[in-house]
Amino acid sequence: MQWSYRFVSGVLVLASIIGMTFALYLEHVVGLEPCPLCIFQRVGLMTMGIVALIAFVHNPISNAMNRCYAMLTILGILWSVGVAARHVWIQTLPPDQIPSCGPGLNYLIDTLPLKTIMQQVLQGSGECAAIDWTFWGLALPVWSLIFFSFLLLICLWQIFRAYPMPNNYSK
């Protein structure tokens, strides 16, 4: 079965919406305050979702444009995979090696240049090492890493697969 580029882009948009809905549910209903690394993971997921939405609406017929959109979705979700992997690593550190808690992300954004913010957030902090939620024995960053990795595989498949031409464009 050949899935159209538009269908797979729609699946990526839906996955982004589901992921963000779950993150907002955990934040606003369950009461889990997202750490800076969690917020950075959301940025990559939203980037992938927005690019996939644009690809879905545009529905390009050119293989070059399909691959361009796929590359942009890969960059977005690769960011989330990398940050989630860093988050998992921080949570596995021994207690004496966990970075101390720093100022909140809002304070960093108000007072520091972007490069310094990126460095400090990616170094992690004590709040990022806390495990506040688990499901089947796995912490939220582990589930996020699994989810983002699955989306990354779909995005990689999008860039390397052969694209069937839509019926309305054939000669």
Side-chain angles (χ1 to χ4, degrees):
M1 174 180 184
Q2 290 261 348
W3 288 338
S4 72
Y5 186 85
R6 182 176 233 179
F7 175 79
V8 178
S9 294
V11 168
L12 291 172
V13 171
L14 184 61
S16 177
I17 291 169
I18 290 170
M20 283 305 302
T21 301
F22 185 67
L24 294 172
Y25 166 79
L26 289 177
E27 180 178 352
H28 296 290
V29 176
V30 176
L32 295 178
E33 193 65 34
C35 72
L37 288 176
C38 293
I39 293 169
F40 272 33
Q41 290 171 45
R42 292 177 184 184
V43 169
L45 181 62
M46 287 186 292
T47 300
M48 182 212 67
I50 290 168
V51 172
L53 178 62
I54 293 167
F56 178 83
V57 171
H58 180 211
N59 195 24
I61 60 170
S62 143
N63 280 346
M65 280 305 298
N66 287 341
R67 286 185 169 77
C68 180
Y69 283 132
M71 189 63 199
L72 292 173
T73 60
I74 288 170
L75 292 175
I77 203 63
L78 194 58
W79 171 261
S80 293
V81 168
V83 175
R86 176 77 174 161
H87 200 167
V88 169
W89 179 77
I90 288 171
Q91 286 190 337
T92 61
L93 288 173
D96 63 323
Q97 293 181 11
I98 294 174
S100 62
C101 289
L105 187 57
N106 289 337
Y107 174 79
L108 294 175
I109 291 171
D110 290 342
T111 60
L112 297 173
L114 183 61
K115 180 181 176 186
T116 306
I117 294 169
M118 299 291 281
Q119 289 171 340
Q120 287 199 3
V121 169
L122 293 176
Q123 284 176 356
S125 66
E127 64 184 321
C128 295
I131 298 175
D132 298 327
W133 185 89
T134 61
F135 183 70
W136 289 343
L138 298 176
L140 185 56
V142 175
W143 284 110
S144 297
L145 180 59
I146 293 167
F147 179 63
F148 299 147
S149 297
F150 178 71
L151 293 177
L152 177 61
L153 290 175
I154 294 172
C155 293
L156 287 168
W157 176 67
Q158 274 283 75
I159 202 168
F160 291 115
R161 72 186 181 112
Y163 297 106
M165 292 302 288
N167 290 337
N168 57 340
Y169 294 110
S170 60
K171 293 181 181 180

